[in-house]
């Protein structure tokens, strides 16, 4: 049961945080959180995978410009677990995105296009969203 939430015309500015709570499904393959202008322009694509062909359990970070994916950054291992509730905090911090996940793991991903307002948020995949807020 894959879910998708797509929000348009939101405003997430430099310094703002997006706090997401949810449940990683027991049989999760992957889920994603995308921040950008629209589906073809993503400043941040955060994609925890639990069964990746190359790396097994891995966090994948990427961006997409005019429909073209950038260069993937992979963090091994993926510290998230299937069947667990998680809180994920994504922060637009000027020239980087900061992504915090449970157990004090923090990752930084470059804001390559120097986006200062995020107007599009998409959350989807093997994840049951329970709450989110922009603050």
């Amino acid at each position: 049961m894959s879910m998708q939430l797509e929000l348009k015309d939101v405003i997430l500015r430099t310094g703002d945080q997006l706090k997401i709570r949810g449940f990683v499904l027991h049989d999760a393959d992957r889920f994603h959180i995308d921040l950008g202008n629209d589906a073809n322009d993503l400043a941040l694509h955060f994609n925890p995978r639990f069964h990746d062909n190359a790396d097994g359990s891995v966090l994948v970070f990427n961006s997409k410009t005019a429909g073209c994916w950038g260069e993937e950054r992979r963090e091994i291992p993926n510290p998230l677990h299937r069947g667990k509730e998680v809180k994920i905090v994504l922060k637009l911090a000027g020239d980087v995105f900061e992504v915090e996940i449970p157990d004090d793991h923090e990752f930084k991903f470059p804001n390559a296009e120097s986006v200062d307002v995020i107007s599009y948020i998409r959350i989807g995949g093997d994840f049951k969203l329970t709450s989110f807020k922009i603050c």
Side-chain angles (χ1 to χ4, degrees):
M1 186 197 94
S2 185
M3 66 134 272
Q4 177 141 309
L5 172 74
E6 196 172 38
L7 300 171
K8 298 173 183 175
D9 303 322
V10 294
I11 295 183
L12 182 71
R13 291 193 172 88
T14 301
D16 289 349
Q17 294 184 342
L18 174 64
K19 294 183 177 181
I20 293 169
R21 281 186 187 275
F23 189 78
V24 180
L25 300 185
H26 287 284
D27 57 351
D29 183 34
R30 62 177 64 185
F31 68 92
H32 61 265
I33 302 170
D34 295 330
L35 305 179
N37 292 322
D38 58 43
N40 288 314
D41 281 292
L42 301 175
L44 174 67
H45 170 70
F46 174 62
N47 181 212
R49 299 178 186 175
F50 300 91
H51 189 69
D52 181 74
N53 291 341
D55 295 317
S57 186
V58 59
L59 296 179
V60 175
F61 295 83
N62 208 337
S63 60
K64 189 192 264 193
T65 307
C68 297
W69 287 108
E71 194 173 325
E72 272 188 359
R73 203 180 93 215
R74 292 174 162 251
E75 296 284 348
I76 305 166
N78 170 0
L80 298 174
H81 299 286
R82 291 171 167 156
K84 296 269 190 225
E85 188 177 39
V86 294
K87 177 183 171 192
I88 301 171
V89 179
L90 303 99
K91 183 176 182 181
L92 177 52
D95 59 352
V96 295
F97 288 93
E98 295 172 358
V99 179
E100 293 171 26
I101 58 177
D103 301 325
D104 296 324
H105 293 282
E106 186 180 296
F107 302 93
K108 289 181 169 38
F109 184 75
N111 180 2
E113 300 287 315
S114 300
V115 174
D116 55 5
V117 177
I118 297 293
S119 58
Y120 176 82
I121 298 171
R122 183 174 60 194
I123 303 168
D126 302 323
F127 184 76
K128 182 181 178 198
L129 182 68
T130 53
S131 76
F132 77 93
K133 71 177 181 183
I134 294 172
C135 51

